[in-house]
Amino acid sequence: MRDTKEKLSNLTIFLHWVVGLTIIALATVGVYMSENEAFEFYPIHKSIGVLIFVVIVVRVYWRFVNGWLQPVTEYKAIEHNLAKIIHWVLIIAMIIMPISGFIMSGAGGYGVSVFGLEIIAAQFDPITKEAIPHNAQLSGFMRETHEIAGWTIIVAIGLHIAGAIKHHFIDKDNTLRRMLGKN
Ligand code: HEM
Ligand code: HEM
């Protein structure tokens, strides 16, 4: 079933919440672990980040095959355009995040594993225990990309949630209910 103005498909609802809630969790853990050097969280952040990428690819493919959602009612152009821009930022950033994370870790010599299953081998100096980068410049560039896109997605999520709250509590329309499958 495709999305209509009245009702969203189960696939849209499922993908929105699985990807959305996972990204909120990854961003929270990501900021916490990098600011506190909590290295014990890196493997789980990376594992879930790689796995969710598979779902993100399906999600983005489905969005473009299915087309963007129609607004539940008519809004002012500025409100509609703002929501559109934020949806684009969210979609683009959700593709950039896992790819940049993957390349940062892989090219940096830290390796990438999914719950212990090695995808890119780590390369540590046996004496200093430091990672030996395959390509330090690429890894550094991807670290910056991951950080900038990470903060961009956090701001966009904040505005996006504020929009959902406004629709639900101020406009009292069906926008949030429709995404919850409850209309
Ligand atoms: C508690 C958190 C969230 C709430 C309450 C929420 C709510 C909503 C609602 C109500 C819509 C429908 C908007 C419309 O009808 O035009 C929507 C769409 C959308 N949301 Fe969220 N959202 C949340 C988290 C996220 C996160 C974390 C992301 C991405 C990182 C995200 C990405 C999107 C995108 C791209 C759309 C556009 C339609 C689509 O592609 O499915 N959302 N969200
Ligand atoms: C949708 C997926 C992902 C999201 C939303 C996400 C989000 C974040 C965020 C917000 C940060 C903190 C950035 C900062 O303040 O420096 C972070 C850090 C990090 N992420 Fe991700 N991430 C994702 C996927 C991945 C993947 C797939 C990998 C690697 C395979 C990865 C590896 C890392 C690493 C190593 C750091 C720490 C960087 C540092 O210590 O400087 N991430 N992530």
Side-chain angles (χ1 to χ4, degrees), residues 23 26-28 30-31 33-35 39 42 45-47 49-50 52 56 93-94 97-102 104-105 111-112 143 146-147 150-151 153-154:
I23 286 184
L26 282 173
T28 309
V31 170
M33 70 185 198
S34 60
E35 295 206 343
F39 297 118
Y42 280 53
H45 178 90
K46 290 160 70 171
S47 302
V50 172
I52 200 65
I56 289 174
M94 76 171 73
M97 287 311 290
I99 296 175
S100 57
F102 192 92
M104 166 203 343
S105 297
V112 179
R143 169 168 286 130
H146 202 69
E147 189 175 352
W151 283 104
I153 205 170
I154 288 169

Side-chain angles (χ1 to χ4, degrees), residues 68-69 82-92 94 160:
W68 289 98
L69 307 184
L82 192 62
K84 246 209 123 71
I85 293 168
I86 294 170
H87 290 162
W88 270 104
V89 171
L90 291 169
I91 291 279
I92 292 168
M94 76 171 73
H160 181 67

Side-chain angles (χ1 to χ4, degrees), residues 53-123:
F53 179 60
V54 180
V55 188
I56 289 174
V57 171
V58 177
R59 192 219 189 287
V60 173
Y61 174 76
W62 172 243
R63 178 52 51 237
F64 290 115
V65 166
N66 196 51
W68 289 98
L69 307 184
Q70 295 174 48
V72 293
T73 52
E74 291 286 320
Y75 298 108
K76 280 188 253 143
I78 178 150
E79 220 177 294
H80 184 64
N81 292 338
L82 192 62
K84 246 209 123 71
I85 293 168
I86 294 170
H87 290 162
W88 270 104
V89 171
L90 291 169
I91 291 279
I92 292 168
M94 76 171 73
I95 300 171
I96 294 177
M97 287 311 290
I99 296 175
S100 57
F102 192 92
I103 302 176
M104 166 203 343
S105 297
Y110 296 98
V112 179
S113 295
V114 174
F115 295 110
L117 175 72
E118 192 175 76
I119 297 180
I120 307 261
Q123 179 173 266

Side-chain angles (χ1 to χ4, degrees), residues 110-168:
Y110 296 98
V112 179
S113 295
V114 174
F115 295 110
L117 175 72
E118 192 175 76
I119 297 180
I120 307 261
Q123 179 173 266
F124 286 103
D125 187 310
I127 298 160
T128 64
K129 309 279 185 231
E130 299 266 325
I132 306 168
H134 299 285
N135 186 334
Q137 210 183 354
L138 178 63
S139 173
F141 175 63
M142 287 298 151
R143 169 168 286 130
E144 274 186 39
T145 305
H146 202 69
E147 189 175 352
I148 294 167
W151 283 104
T152 307
I153 205 170
I154 288 169
V155 171
I157 292 170
L159 294 170
H160 181 67
I161 295 177
I165 291 173
K166 174 186 176 287
H167 279 289
H168 195 70

